Amino acid sequence: MRRRREEPGWLHGKPPPRWARLAPPVALVLLVLAQSATPGDIELGYFLAGLPPVAAFAYGAAGTAVFAGIVLLLLGVSSLGVGHAQGADLATVAVVALLSVVIAWVRRRRDAQLVSVRTVAEAAQLAVLPPVPERVGPVRCAGLYRAAQRGTLVGGDLYDVRVGPYGVRALVGDVQGHGLAAVGTVAALLGAFREGVLDDPELADVAARLDRRLLADTAGAAGAVTEAAGSVGSAGPADAVAAVEHPELFATALLLEFPPGLDLVRIVSCGHPPVLLLRASTVSEVAVEPGPPLGLGLAGADLAVVADVPLLPGDRLLVHTDGVTEARDAAGDFYPLATRIPALAKDPAELVEAVWQDLVAFTDGGPRDDVALLVLSLPDGARAPG
């Protein structure tokens, strides 16, 4: 599963870019050469005092101390012909150099802490939404996920593909809101789906399970609101507001099932955008009667409509969230996914990346909402084992 574009390397604990490390020594050499070529009544050496603070952004405490020592030597030893700092001037430069060393030391420690925290956060997010393998049972899979909140791997969209006793089942969902505030709801839905893959014989039962999960979480959130409201007098309004914050508990979802031994897919829609069927060079929306979104208590097993869609060899199913089709260009036009796919249709593993690149170009930088794309297909001539 492809994630968001990489952050700059130094945010991942990698060494600073080469230009940042070369800037202090290059500036040092240029200033020395400029001073040597300048008449003696023009003093350029004091510009050297700015090099230790610059070095602190690219080097550790030891490297910054080396630059500080070189600067003090050039400014303090007048016979070198670079500077003539004495007394209070030299002391001021020395204090700046010392502070630069301290800043470099603190920066390195903070960078190490940032790398540690980011590593833990990425591991936690990947545990919630692990990469989808290229093949789940007989079904070929290709997925792409882009979270709207910068620096995160998981937002308000979700998808998963699992194999169980009733075939291969897939879930694509969109929780109201995005970013880290929606991750709790995403985790709850994925956990309920994975249980349903193993326990529920009917796809509609899985939808009902997801709906009950959100209803239970909503009831828990309502209890927190009541408790916080009662504590306003003792804890204060600010504490009450903090206590009632909870993840959004409303979601649309699309459930798919590839039954064993059958060349078809079963689909249940809970208020989600329709599936696109890619057959040869044509793209069409799969006609499925949409049911109510999850979390409203209306997506019960008796109300969910299951559609059986026959599949031909080479058919591909593209499932997406509304972050794709609601993305706009500079003129305010929505992204026409269905009409642009024929020009992008490639191998499933390449199709999702092609759609993303086209979406980035269409919106001039990428959409501002979470985006999830999932392509599912059966290999040509292959059937799920009975």
Side-chain angles (χ1 to χ4, degrees):
M1 179 175 61
R2 294 171 173 83
R3 299 291 192 178
R4 283 190 61 89
R5 291 158 287 186
E6 286 295 316
E7 303 286 348
W10 58 90
L11 294 183
H12 287 266
K14 300 177 183 178
R18 181 173 297 178
W19 63 264
R21 298 181 64 85
L22 290 178
V26 169
L28 177 66
V29 172
L30 291 178
L31 284 172
V32 171
L33 293 177
Q35 181 63 65
S36 63
T38 302
D41 58 339
I42 299 178
E43 186 78 35
L44 299 178
Y46 285 105
F47 286 104
L48 293 171
L51 291 184
V54 174
F57 288 99
Y59 292 85
T64 304
V66 170
F67 277 102
I70 294 174
V71 168
L72 290 173
L73 179 65
L74 292 174
L75 293 179
V77 180
S78 57
S79 60
L80 296 176
V82 177
H84 306 84
Q86 295 180 354
D89 291 338
L90 189 61
T92 300
V93 175
V95 170
V96 172
L98 179 60
L99 289 176
S100 300
V101 173
V102 173
I103 290 172
W105 180 77
V106 173
R107 182 188 62 79
R108 279 294 176 90
R109 283 181 57 88
R110 294 294 297 273
D111 286 351
Q113 293 174 352
L114 176 61
V115 170
S116 177
V117 170
R118 186 179 180 88
T119 300
V120 172
E122 289 186 353
Q125 292 177 81
L126 287 173
V128 172
L129 192 66
V132 172
E134 295 182 0
R135 195 181 186 102
V136 178
V139 179
R140 296 175 61 190
C141 310
L144 180 142
Y145 195 106
R146 295 289 187 270
Q149 184 170 333
R150 186 173 179 84
T152 62
L153 301 178
V154 180
D157 290 357
L158 64 143
Y159 61 68
D160 199 6
V161 185
R162 299 277 166 161
V163 63
Y166 310 105
V168 176
R169 288 172 171 172
L171 165 69
V172 176
D174 184 0
V175 174
Q176 185 179 10
H178 57 260
L180 295 177
V183 172
T185 307
V186 168
L189 284 174
L190 288 173
F193 169 72
R194 291 161 187 168
E195 292 177 357
V197 168
L198 299 176
D199 299 337
D200 296 329
E202 300 295 334
L203 194 60
D205 295 332
V206 181
R209 179 188 290 266
L210 299 179
D211 189 58
R212 291 196 304 272
R213 175 71 269 169
L214 290 189
L215 285 175
D217 290 350
T218 301
V225 171
T226 303
E227 181 179 352
S231 64
V232 170
S234 59
D239 293 336
V241 171
V244 301
E245 289 182 353
H246 58 276
E248 298 288 352
L249 304 178
F250 167 86
T252 66
L254 201 71
L255 292 160
L256 301 94
E257 178 183 272
F258 295 86
L262 299 177
D263 291 328
L264 60 84
V265 59
R266 294 193 174 110
I267 302 175
V268 171
S269 175
C270 300
H272 200 78
V275 182
L276 294 181
L277 175 62
L278 285 63
R279 176 169 291 169
S281 59
T282 64
V283 178
S284 60
E285 291 186 355
V286 177
V288 178
E289 182 178 346
L294 302 172
L296 303 180
L298 301 174
D302 297 335
L303 299 176
V305 177
V306 181
D308 288 356
V309 180
L311 294 178
L312 300 179
D315 284 354
R316 288 174 287 174
L317 298 169
L318 174 60
V319 194
H320 61 88
T321 56
D322 60 11
V324 179
T325 51
E326 293 184 0
R328 298 172 182 261
D329 62 8
D333 297 325
F334 290 112
Y335 179 70
L337 176 62
T339 60
R340 295 177 81 101
I341 284 182
L344 303 172
K346 300 178 180 179
D347 181 84
E350 299 176 356
L351 176 59
V352 291
E353 185 64 32
V355 171
W356 170 251
Q357 295 300 331
D358 188 56
L359 185 59
V360 170
F362 180 84
T363 57
D364 192 21
R368 297 182 180 180
D369 196 3
D370 299 321
V371 167
L373 291 165
L374 184 64
V375 177
L376 303 171
S377 62
L378 291 171
D380 294 349
R383 298 182 62 177

